[in-house]
Amino acid sequence: MSEIKNDYLWWQTGVVYQIYPRSFQDSNGDGIGDLQGILKRLDYLQWMGVDAVWISPIYPSPMADFGYDISDYTGIHPLFGSLDDFDRLIQEVHARKMKLILDLVPNHTSDQHPWFLESRSSRDNPKRDWYIWKNPRPDGGLPNNWLSVFGGSGWEWDEKTEQYYYHAFLKEQPDLNWRHPEVQQAMLNVMRFWLDRGVDGFRIDVMWHMIKDLQLRDNPVNPDYQNHMATYEQLLPVYSTDQPEVHEIVQKMRKLLDSYTDRMMIGEIYLPIHKLVTYYGIDGKGAHLPFNFQLISLPWEAKVIAAAIDQYEGALPANGWPNWVLGNHDQPRITSRVGIQQARVAAMLLLTLRGTPTIYYGDEIGMRDVPIPFQEVQDPQGLNMPDKNLSRDPARTPMQWDASLQAGFTEGKPWLRLDRAFQRTNVQLQKEDPYSMLLLYKRLIDLRHNEPSLTVGDYTPVCSDNQMLAFTRQAEGHPKFLIILNLSHRPCYFKPSTLTFTGTVVLATSPELEGSVVDESISLSGDEGVIIRITDTRL
C-alpha cells in the first residue's frame, strides 16, 4: 500500500472526520464541548482510522450563529479554550499521524468584529468599503431584492450613516466586500497566521458567496418555489452568489496554500455539478476539494444516485480529485433521512466510492436527528422560520459516548438535549458489538486503507435498477472489487446478462455473508450491501 500512497497526497488517500466542537466532548462541565474535550477523544479517532479532523469554528464570536459570526479571526473563544490548547491539539493530532483542518469563514464577519465597527462608524472611515454599503432606492426602498438565507431581506438599515449593509445570513453577519484588495490581503494574513501554527488545511465556508454582482442587480423569481421551502429560495441567487470573479479569489487562496508544504483547501459549495467542478480552478489551481453534496441532496434512489455518480465522474476536470459526504452540521443526519438500515448501506457507499470521504461526527454510531422542543431551539434558521421545521439543532446534539449520565459528553447540563436512546446507541456499547454501525465503519475504513483499489482505484459503473447499484474499483496490479448495494427494503437479485464473475464477499452490511463465494449472480436482502473481491477476471 505504501508505494501507492507515495503517489498520492494525504487528502486523497485519507478519511476526513468533521467535529462540531460544541457537541463533541466537554472537559469542564459547562455543557459545551471544547478543545480539551477533543484532545481527550483523539485516541478514539485514531482507533477508528480517521486521517484528518475538520473542526467547525472555534474563534471568538458573539455566537449569533454559533461561531460562524467571527469577531476575531486569530483567537480562540474562551468557551473552547485558548491558543495554547489549540497548539497542543495540533501537536497531539500530528503525533497520531493525523491532520487538522480548520473552518474558515471569509464571506462575512460578526457585526462586533473591529473591522465592521470601524466600517459602521462613518461613511468616510477607511474601512467603509470593506463591507457592502448601499443607498436606498430613489423611492426609499431596499437597494435590491436579495434575501437572507436565514429569512427576510438581505439588507439592514444603519440609522447612524443612513445606508444599508448587505448580509447573506443574519444581520449580525455583515458580508465583506471581497472586491476590495485590503480585504483580500487581510484574509490571506489570517490564513498565514493559522498555517504558521501548523494547520494542514481549511474548509472554506460558503465559498460560492464570496463575490457579488458588481451592479447588485435584482435576483429573478424562482418559478419552482413551494411554501415548505426556506423563504430564501423564493429567488434564484444568480447575482448574489457564484460570480465569475470568485475564482480569482480562490486562486489567490490556493497560491498561498501552495507556498506551504502539503496543505489543502475544501470549499463549501452548494451548486449543480457543472458549476461545482469549476471551483477546481483553471489547471487545478482552485480548491483541492469543492465539497460534493449529492448524497445529501438527492433522493435516496438507486438509479438517481448511480446516474449522479456517473455525471460527477464524467464532469471532473483532468486531475480533479472527487469527494463525497453523507452529512454535516447544516443538514439532517443520514440516519434520519434514509433510516438506520439504509444508513449502513450509505456508509458502504461513502467508503467505497472513488474520492475523499468525509464523516460527520456521530454518523458512525447511527446518531439520528433529536427532536428539540420549540422553547429550546437555538439555531437562528429555526428561530427565524419557526413554521418550516428548518432548525439545524436536531443534527447538532451531543456525541453519545457511553450509557452514563449525559452520555459521557459532559458532567453539566448539555447545551442541547441528548437523544433519549443514548443508553443503547453509544460508542462504548458499539465497540463491543461486532454487528454495530461503529464496527461497520471501522472495518470499512480499515479495508479502504489496506486495499489500493478501494483507496485510489478506478471507478467503473456495472449496473443499476430501481433497487440496487453496482460498480467496481480497481488499481492497476491490484485485486478488483465489486460493490453491490441494495438501496431498497426488499430483496434484490444481481445477475448481469453481459458478464460472469467469481469472487469472495470480504465485507458485508450483514456479516453472515462474509467469506461466501459468489459467481454468476448474488441475492441480497433488503438494506444489504456487499464488497466482493473478484477472483475471476471476466468482470
Side-chain angles (χ1 to χ4, degrees), residues 207-209 241-243 246-247 250 269 271 275-281 285-288 290:
M207 180 181 272
W208 83 112
H209 272 264
T241 66
D242 192 34
Q243 297 302 294
V246 75
H247 297 290
V250 176
I269 303 154
L271 287 173
K275 292 187 175 183
L276 175 73
V277 295
T278 63
Y279 284 79
Y280 284 100
K285 293 297 183 187
H288 295 88

Side-chain angles (χ1 to χ4, degrees), residues 167-194:
H167 56 93
F169 296 90
L170 295 175
K171 64 180 172 59
E172 293 86 358
Q173 294 171 289
D175 280 40
L176 283 161
N177 174 17
W178 267 90
R179 294 180 181 276
H180 199 303
E182 289 178 15
V183 169
Q184 296 178 20
Q185 202 50 54
M187 201 59 71
L188 291 172
N189 287 340
V190 166
M191 293 174 74
R192 276 191 198 93
F193 174 86
W194 294 108

